[in-house]
Amino acid sequence: MIISLAQINPTVGAITANADKIAAVFRSVASSGCELVIFPELSLTGYPPKDILERPWVINNVLGAIARLEKESAGHPECGLLVGAPIPTGMSSGKGLYNSALLIYQGKTVFTQAKTLLPNYDVFDETRYFDQNRCYDNFNFRGTSLGITICEDAWFHSAGLFNKKIYDVDPVQLAAMKADLLINIASSPFTSGKEKVRFQLFSEHAARHRVPFIYVNQVGGNDELIFDGGSMFIDSAGKSRLQLPCFEESIQRLDTDNPGTVKEQEPQEQIKSVHDALVLGVKDYFSKTGFKKAVLGLSGGIDSALVCCLAVEALSAENVLGITMPSQYSSAGSIEDSRKLALNLGIEFKIIPIKAVFDKNLEILTPHFRNMQPDLTEENLQARIRGNFLMAFSNKFNSILLSTGNKSEMAVGYCTLYGDMNGGLAVIADVPKTMIYRIAEYLNRGREIIPKATIEKAPSAELRPNQTDQDTLPPYPVLDAILHHYIEENLSYQEIVGKGFAPDTVAWVIKAIEKNEYKRRQAPLCLKVTSKSFGAGRRFPIAAVNEYK
């Protein structure tokens, strides 16, 4: 069968625009002899649609879009169209919707398969909106028995992703019993290393059941989630025959009877994939919210330099403004490094000193702080002055302020609420500090973009004389390792200490994480690139006791 894999980038809620894109792709491939074109999960609504599914008119618009696609298919009766959409269950109980795959052919929907496994962990919340499929069947399409599953349905055998069995039924096994071809339509978000896990899982499915496997994944950024695409065709021996690119839309044609030579599965190198994901996340967040311009503070440090580089790649240099705001504690080198970065990138650059404003604030506050020594209050005051200035530029020039804090800082609260945490998007808040350096090296692989001095200097907030991050924090390699064990692996205090870390250091890190949940709850949206990011996928109470020992 001649099949087109349509790895598209839908916008959540833009049902008309998504249907336009789907129809245009369908017409194009149908006119070139394609027999079936496959689109991702919930491609009519975009994924995840969240609570917009609770609006009755949204479902009415979906049904209208399906009717339109049915009409389109009547004009190309030789080609079928497999598309994901939310469909009413018709039942009086339950949520009332299925997450469905619809096969549209010759002017009508000839087959519907609802999703069986509804993920309800990490960033997923599908049981909030959908009912679980309770029956399963294959469909004979043009002489080929199709076994159709939807995203999570293929993750029953989790290739080590889960520590325990979380489902009681394996939809792929049910589908494979009578199938000539297995198809999985998906909206599977990116996390570092997931590409390799996916291929291993789908390859095992194909080889176990001796049935070829097609996977079509959404691409693009929707809020904090980034979808990497990576759609593929795997033959009945579990070998890769077709791989679509990551992080870009792609429509590729496949002849299942003559799929070509075996291709070694080549996952992207980790740092390149994280870099590409962040660029796509920024690009789509701006385009899908209607913004074009970004503003950010440039401190001369590596975090703001990296965010600036990513913003330029995503938005182009003319749409990025960098502002450095030196105080009496800022080094001349930091100002010069910021200037050099801006010159290397070709962005607009401003210097706005804050010493006079800071001094005036101290003058006003000193009578109220009489006989009290300077402390974090005065340090944070500088960060909040900078945050106010940056938000003023955001408001005045209709720009999104990009927050530049990294995951290591966010985890332990080494950031100032209403100061450097200000912003509309936290670009690297899921990137550990040690990975920040690796991405910077990747960016500088061809020429020096981020100044060498920025990379080599000791990290510092420069809020007091001779300050460095390591005055307050454990060394970043130690901190990041403990954070990974505690946040992403859910290891206990005792287990982390058992790996050789100093008990006092582990205790300090855990206490800092728990104490600063209130800050993270007020942080900007964070682009997710690790298996457990701060935000929607990590829900911890603020007013709670953590008995970690």
Side-chain angles (χ1 to χ4, degrees):
M1 184 184 297
I2 306 300
I3 298 176
S4 289
L5 282 60
Q7 179 175 290
I8 63 169
N9 184 350
T11 298
V12 170
I15 297 165
T16 300
N18 294 337
D20 288 344
K21 177 176 289 192
I22 292 166
V25 172
F26 172 72
R27 287 192 298 268
S28 174
V29 300
S31 62
S32 64
C34 179
E35 297 172 86
L36 176 65
V37 56
I38 305 172
F39 293 89
E41 174 187 18
L42 291 182
S43 43
L44 266 178
T45 58
Y47 189 96
K50 298 185 179 178
D51 282 7
I52 70 168
L53 292 175
E54 297 178 350
R55 296 170 174 170
W57 65 87
V58 169
I59 303 306
N60 289 338
N61 290 346
V62 168
L63 296 177
I66 292 169
R68 174 188 163 192
L69 294 177
E70 290 174 336
K71 186 176 179 180
E72 289 277 359
S73 78
H76 296 276
E78 71 286 352
C79 186
L81 184 158
L82 185 63
V83 66
I87 300 298
T89 64
M91 298 185 294
S92 58
S93 61
K95 302 297 191 299
L97 288 177
Y98 285 134
N99 179 344
S100 299
L102 286 73
L103 182 56
I104 300 172
Y105 184 54
Q106 296 184 344
K108 59 183 178 181
T109 299
V110 296
F111 180 69
T112 301
Q113 178 62 57
K115 189 172 184 176
T116 300
L117 306 184
L118 302 177
N120 195 41
Y121 57 87
D122 194 45
V123 297
F124 305 106
D125 207 8
E126 290 198 27
T127 57
R128 179 181 174 97
Y129 309 105
F130 297 112
D131 291 308
Q132 183 180 21
N133 169 55
R134 298 293 181 182
C135 58
Y136 194 89
D137 201 2
N138 291 49
F139 184 76
N140 192 297
F141 179 72
R142 296 174 68 95
T144 299
S145 178
L146 305 180
I148 301 170
T149 58
I150 303 174
C151 203
E152 188 80 0
D153 288 344
W155 290 80
F156 176 83
H157 293 283
S158 61
L161 184 66
F162 305 121
N163 294 324
K164 61 182 179 180
K165 179 180 175 182
I166 62 173
Y167 299 116
D168 295 323
V169 61
D170 181 359
V172 172
Q173 183 177 34
L174 296 176
M177 289 179 182
K178 298 183 290 183
D180 301 316
L181 178 64
L182 292 168
I183 299 173
N184 183 264
I185 64 171
S187 289
S188 178
F190 168 82
T191 58
S192 177
K194 192 174 184 180
E195 187 183 0
K196 183 177 180 180
V197 173
R198 282 199 204 110
F199 175 76
Q200 178 186 344
L201 176 63
F202 302 152
S203 176
E204 289 175 0
H205 282 315
R208 180 185 304 114
H209 301 296
R210 305 298 298 176
V211 179
F213 191 103
I214 288 177
Y215 169 72
V216 179
N217 189 28
Q218 173 179 298
V219 70
N222 287 327
D223 291 353
E224 70 268 39
L225 299 185
I226 303 159
F227 299 86
D228 55 324
S231 305
M232 65 186 85
F233 174 67
I234 299 170
D235 67 20
S236 59
K239 302 296 184 181
S240 173
R241 295 297 187 108
L242 176 68
Q243 299 174 44
L244 273 62
C246 291
F247 306 110
E248 62 183 77
E249 288 190 302
S250 180
I251 315 297
Q252 294 204 22
R253 184 181 173 112
L254 165 73
D255 183 348
T256 58
D257 296 323
N258 186 24
T261 59
V262 172
K263 297 176 176 61
E264 288 296 323
Q265 200 269 346
E266 298 177 356
Q268 284 190 313
E269 193 273 328
Q270 181 196 31
I271 295 304
K272 173 176 169 47
S273 68
V274 172
H275 164 271
D276 292 354
L278 293 172
V279 171
L280 179 59
V282 173
K283 180 179 180 180
D284 274 7
Y285 188 75
F286 275 73
S287 65
K288 292 179 180 182
T289 56
F291 284 86
K292 294 182 179 180
K293 294 184 176 293
V295 60
L296 75 160
L298 294 179
S299 66
I302 193 168
D303 295 334
S304 61
L306 174 58
V307 172
C308 194
C309 291
L310 297 170
V312 168
E313 287 193 64
L315 307 172
S316 74
E318 65 269 21
N319 290 317
V320 179
L321 167 63
I323 304 175
T324 191
M325 293 162 283
S327 74
Q328 55 264 55
Y329 304 122
S330 301
S331 67
S334 293
I335 301 170
E336 188 53 38
D337 290 341
S338 297
R339 189 196 309 274
K340 186 175 180 181
L341 174 75
L343 183 64
N344 290 346
L345 292 171
I347 67 167
E348 184 181 1
F349 177 65
K350 293 181 182 293
I351 300 176
I352 303 177
I354 67 165
K355 182 180 184 302
V357 180
F358 179 48
D359 288 345
K360 188 63 178 179
N361 275 258
L362 292 179
E363 178 186 330
I364 293 169
L365 290 170
T366 295
H368 305 283
F369 294 167
R370 188 176 290 112
N371 299 324
M372 301 181 73
Q373 292 298 313
D375 55 15
L376 280 175
T377 306
E378 287 74 17
E379 293 183 27
N380 289 339
L381 188 58
Q382 297 165 71
R384 292 186 175 120
I385 291 168
R386 292 180 173 122
N388 276 337
F389 281 179
L390 290 169
M391 283 306 304
F393 276 87
S394 173
N395 291 160
K396 184 64 73 175
F397 298 103
N398 196 32
S399 303
I400 291 181
L401 171 57
L402 299 178
S403 174
T404 62
N406 61 63
K407 187 173 189 175
S408 309
E409 295 170 346
M410 290 291 293
V412 297
Y414 194 67
C415 46
T416 303
L417 200 57
Y418 321 123
D420 57 302
M421 288 180 67
N422 280 3
L425 182 66
V427 179
I428 57 171
D430 195 34
V431 183
K433 186 74 170 188
T434 48
M435 186 180 284
I436 296 290
Y437 284 100
R438 295 173 63 195
I439 301 174
E441 291 172 1
Y442 172 79
L443 285 169
N444 279 4
R445 66 194 183 280
R447 66 182 180 93
E448 185 178 289
I449 299 174
I450 298 177
K452 184 178 180 181
T454 295
I455 297 174
E456 293 181 346
K457 73 175 68 171
S460 172
E462 293 192 331
L463 297 175
R464 64 174 184 263
N466 303 315
Q467 182 184 27
T468 68
D469 291 2
Q470 308 304 190
D471 296 338
T472 305
L473 306 178
Y476 278 116
V478 174
L479 175 60
D480 285 354
I482 295 172
L483 293 176
H484 176 77
H485 292 316
Y486 189 69
I487 296 170
E488 296 178 46
E489 295 183 338
N490 269 323
L491 297 189
S492 68
Y493 165 82
Q494 290 83 3
E495 289 171 318
I496 299 172
V497 170
K499 289 182 175 291
F501 295 95
D504 288 349
T505 303
V506 176
W508 183 90
V509 171
I510 291 175
K511 287 179 181 178
I513 292 170
E514 305 303 326
K515 184 174 69 173
N516 287 285
E517 184 63 32
Y518 80 101
K519 284 189 180 181
R520 294 188 292 271
R521 192 73 64 87
Q522 301 176 71
L525 190 78
C526 158
L527 295 179
K528 174 179 167 63
V529 295
T530 70
S531 60
K532 184 63 69 174
S533 65
F534 298 123
R538 188 178 185 275
R539 308 173 193 180
F540 279 82
I542 296 172
V545 173
N546 177 34
E547 297 181 343
Y548 66 90
K549 288 188 179 181

